[in-house]
Amino acid sequence: MTAKNMTRAAFFVLTALADQPRHGYGILRETEELSGGEVQLRVGTLYGVLDRLTADGLIVLDREEVQQGRLRRYYRLTDDGVAALDAEAERMAAGAGAAKRRIAEGRRVRPAAEGPAGLEPPTAPGLAGGYA
Amino acid sequence: MTAKNMTRAAFFVLTALADQPRHGYGILRETEELSGGEVQLRVGTLYGVLDRLTADGLIVLDREEVQQGRLRRYYRLTDDGVAALDAEAERMAAGAGAAKRRIAEGRRVRPAAEGPAGLEPPTAPGLAGGYA
DNA sequence: TCGATATATATCGGCAGGCGATATATCATG
DNA sequence: CATGATATATCGCCTGCCGATATATATCGA
């Protein structure tokens, strides 16, 4: 929707890889654990995301291991990946802050009441805080 | 990807409506202004989102006005809408915080260097902070 | 020993949703 | 008189998420 709009799935994958390299299945488990089970990154989503992030140069294949007869393919963030994740986190924090502020701002005019709108016409139109 | 996963566009619309009722075109301008031009909610996106949010009971048609021969259709948040936006803001802030923390955590092992991985095998696997 | 579950990879088709393009209409500005 | 801002709305393309499915090995309980 914006310039380089990162998908949620991509964000979660990058976050899971931010502290150390992980393999696909590890990313799945880490994401779920990290969010207390709230976020569930799906298998069907994972590999597409991994391919796209690799193509975009945000992650790279770190190494391959064979543990107990099972292949593990480890990915890690590139410098670009770290930067992208950092920027996205910044944007999210800013957006969350803006939303919170505006909810509070609206609470003055809208104290859980119904009816066409606030009683007095809104004071100023757009002065708002801005995301950043 | 999670339980009730709200789209970005929906988030921006709800945020734009959080302080006062607005009409479609106003939402577009407000979103752009609010983010310093970084976020551009598209016209082709807007009305679908508006319909979906209405169907979900997160916003309602507040009123219709005719200003200088042009129709303005104002929407406002419902209580559910406020709650949903608040919850989403919380999730975003938590996610952003987790990402930031993990980036810092990884910086210890990955000081902008390249090579298969950190020198010593990562100390502990998953103790992480968790989103919330 | 057999079935279920966890670990681990990967693909495919359906469907939701964002976006560019397009259409229509009014008003202000150059 | 044309352009651009304001204001609504629709349509088709394409990206991307997800459920289902496939394959293979190891573990554990019945």
Side-chain angles (χ1 to χ4, degrees):
Chain A
M1 167 186 334
T2 315
K4 342 95 226 276
N5 123 46
M6 177 184 305
T7 67
R8 267 206 227 297
F11 173 78
F12 289 131
V13 169
L14 292 184
T15 299
L17 292 177
D19 64 333
Q20 58 172 279
R22 289 176 200 279
H23 60 281
Y25 195 77
I27 294 173
L28 254 32
R29 279 190 287 97
E30 180 67 11
T31 301
E32 184 160 13
E33 185 191 330
L34 196 57
S35 68
E38 247 200 277
V39 178
Q40 274 202 311
L41 185 61
R42 300 306 173 132
V43 198
T45 308
L46 181 67
Y47 295 95
V49 175
L50 248 21
D51 289 346
R52 256 169 278 136
L53 289 176
T54 300
D56 291 349
L58 301 187
I59 64 175
V60 284
L61 182 61
D62 187 67
R63 67 191 190 274
E64 286 180 341
E65 285 180 9
V66 178
Q67 294 269 327
Q68 299 156 314
R70 296 188 206 99
L71 176 64
R72 286 181 173 181
R73 191 166 282 137
Y74 285 80
Y75 294 88
R76 71 165 192 278
L77 297 191
T78 62
D79 291 352
D80 279 0
V82 177
L85 177 57
D86 195 74
E88 181 68 12
E90 209 70 62
R91 254 170 281 153
M92 285 173 64
K100 287 282 195 179
R101 247 177 288 128
R102 301 187 121 239
I103 290 173
E105 210 173 316
R107 198 100 61 187
R108 251 183 285 135
V109 160
R110 167 192 21 88
E114 294 305 299
L119 295 176
E120 56 262 29
T123 47
L127 301 178
Y131 274 15
Chain B
M1 161 190 338
T2 314
K4 340 97 225 280
N5 124 45
M6 176 183 305
T7 66
R8 269 208 228 295
F11 173 78
F12 289 132
V13 169
L14 292 184
T15 299
L17 292 177
D19 63 333
Q20 58 173 282
R22 291 176 200 277
H23 61 280
Y25 195 77
I27 294 173
L28 254 30
R29 278 191 288 96
E30 180 67 10
T31 300
E32 183 160 14
E33 185 190 331
L34 197 56
S35 67
E38 247 199 276
V39 177
Q40 274 202 311
L41 185 61
R42 299 305 173 134
V43 199
T45 308
L46 182 66
Y47 294 97
V49 175
L50 249 23
D51 288 346
R52 257 170 277 138
L53 288 177
T54 299
D56 291 349
L58 301 187
I59 63 175
V60 284
L61 183 61
D62 187 68
R63 67 191 191 275
E64 286 179 341
E65 286 179 7
V66 179
Q67 295 268 328
Q68 301 157 310
R70 296 189 207 100
L71 176 64
R72 287 181 172 181
R73 191 165 281 137
Y74 285 80
Y75 293 88
R76 72 165 193 277
L77 296 191
T78 62
D79 290 352
D80 279 0
V82 177
L85 177 58
D86 196 74
E88 181 67 11
E90 209 70 61
R91 254 171 282 153
M92 285 172 63
K100 287 282 195 180
R101 247 176 287 127
R102 304 188 118 239
I103 290 174
E105 210 173 316
R107 199 98 60 185
R108 253 182 283 132
V109 162
R110 168 192 20 86
E114 293 305 299
L119 294 176
E120 55 262 28
T123 47
L127 301 178
Y131 273 14

